[in-house]
Amino acid sequence: MSFVEGAAEGALETTSVASPAGMRMPLMQVQRGETVRVVKIGGRDATRRHWIELGFVPDAAVTVVTESNGNLICEVKGVRVGLDTELAKRITVIA
């Protein structure tokens, strides 16, 4: 099953980055300067597809560049992307 096909299940997820030592958390809990990997994207189909188009795909490295009032600026695949708190809660990452 592809990452996009998983949309029918209500969330997109990969198991390739999960490890017993890894800790899953919402992206909004990641500290500035820390790089993590995408595991799951929750939300509506259109929202998930939008994040896929921006590079938030399984195993993609995401670095939190800065945070202000819960809003994040992250770098993914060499591009900086702004996320509000609600969107950052829907992206599950692993450290």
Side-chain angles (χ1 to χ4, degrees), residues 27-73:
L27 182 58
M28 66 174 285
Q29 292 181 351
V30 176
Q31 300 298 311
R32 184 177 62 193
E34 188 176 356
T35 300
V36 293
R37 298 223 172 255
V38 174
V39 174
K40 175 180 167 184
I41 301 174
R44 296 182 177 172
D45 290 347
T47 302
R48 288 193 305 266
R49 285 190 183 101
H50 176 70
W51 290 113
I52 290 168
E53 291 169 357
L54 292 174
F56 288 84
V57 296
D59 207 30
V62 177
T63 302
V64 175
V65 177
T66 190
E67 180 272 335
S68 177
N69 298 322
N71 300 313
L72 303 176
I73 295 179

Side-chain angles (χ1 to χ4, degrees), residues 7-27:
E9 299 170 10
L12 302 175
E13 186 166 359
T14 180
T15 56
S16 66
V17 295
S19 68
M23 184 174 85
R24 289 183 179 205
M25 68 186 103
L27 182 58

